[in-house]
Amino acid sequence: MPASDKEFVGSIPELYDRLLVPMIFEPYARDLAQRAKALGPRDLLETAAGTGAVTRALSSALGRGTRITATDLNEPMLERAKSRIPDATDIRWRQADALNLPFDNASFDVVACQFGAMFFPDKPKGYSEARRVLKPGGRFLFNIWDRIEDNEFADVVNHALAEVFPADPPRFLARTPYGHYATDPIRADLLAAGFGKIEIDVLREQSRANAPHDPAIGFCQGSPLRGEIEARGGIGLDAATEHAASALANRFGKGAIEGRIQALVISAVA
């Protein structure tokens, strides 16, 4: 995975949070928060918190009886998350790498991670770190996107950009966020990290946007896909985004649009 796949910088955090979070992340954030609530944790660690979609859902669902430590590798994303809930006294914010967590062994009842494991350059190491900081019997809850073909907005954008750059299509979406859905390797890596009682659920939802430009801008300009488009030069970022918006309009219509999204939700016991 190129290092650029983890670069959420510049205007990306704001666009990501404003456009992509309500469109594709919030339904899964609510699901993960309810799964965590059912476990009744006193101490919960969130890794790869991004702009805080799950953090907000967790804070709302769990209440003051749970101490939440929210971490992310990217300081700009964490700053955006903190700005959304500045007065939350139940949340401790900390910049941290999920592959090298700055916490003691057996510190948490639950580790939660929403759509972050796909970005781990060493997934077994990331799972091992989650296992290390969990108390015996603690739970690792995380979700990952299913294949891109089951996530319609992203799939249309991916194909549209291949039309714009046929000699060298930007592959960020298919390579990283939607590229790590095979369940056998996930199970094997979790078992190798010391987890047991592994459960994997498929969760289908509907994605909604006010107009085709919202997912086009969200994916093309509010994710590391932006860097891949800009690096190719040619027609430029705005024109590539417009082409993606046109493809979405042709597929789903020109007003408010809906498309299928699908993810895997994984639970593993330490």
Side-chain angles (χ1 to χ4, degrees), residues 49-155:
T51 58
V54 171
T55 319
R56 295 189 291 274
L58 288 167
S59 180
S60 176
L62 296 175
R64 301 302 180 188
T66 302
R67 294 180 290 267
I68 299 170
T69 301
T71 68
D72 196 88
L73 179 65
N74 292 279
E75 190 66 39
M77 296 287 274
L78 208 59
E79 288 301 317
R80 175 74 183 187
K82 291 163 64 176
S83 74
R84 295 290 304 276
I85 37 177
D87 300 323
T89 58
D90 56 326
I91 302 170
R92 175 176 61 151
W93 303 96
R94 185 162 180 179
Q95 191 277 335
D97 185 349
L99 274 63
N100 187 25
L101 293 169
F103 306 110
D104 292 337
N105 296 350
S107 295
F108 299 95
D109 303 299
V110 171
V111 173
C113 181
Q114 165 135 301
F115 300 121
M118 308 92 70
F119 292 87
F120 295 171
D122 184 341
K123 291 167 185 61
K125 174 62 174 173
Y127 299 156
S128 294
E129 276 293 274
R131 172 67 180 82
R132 180 183 66 79
V133 300
L134 277 169
K135 298 173 184 177
R139 196 77 59 93
F140 183 28
L141 297 174
F142 67 106
N143 50 28
I144 59 175
W145 292 116
D146 210 335
R147 61 185 194 138
I148 195 168
E149 292 84 359
D150 291 317
N151 291 274
E152 293 180 311
F153 289 172
D155 192 38

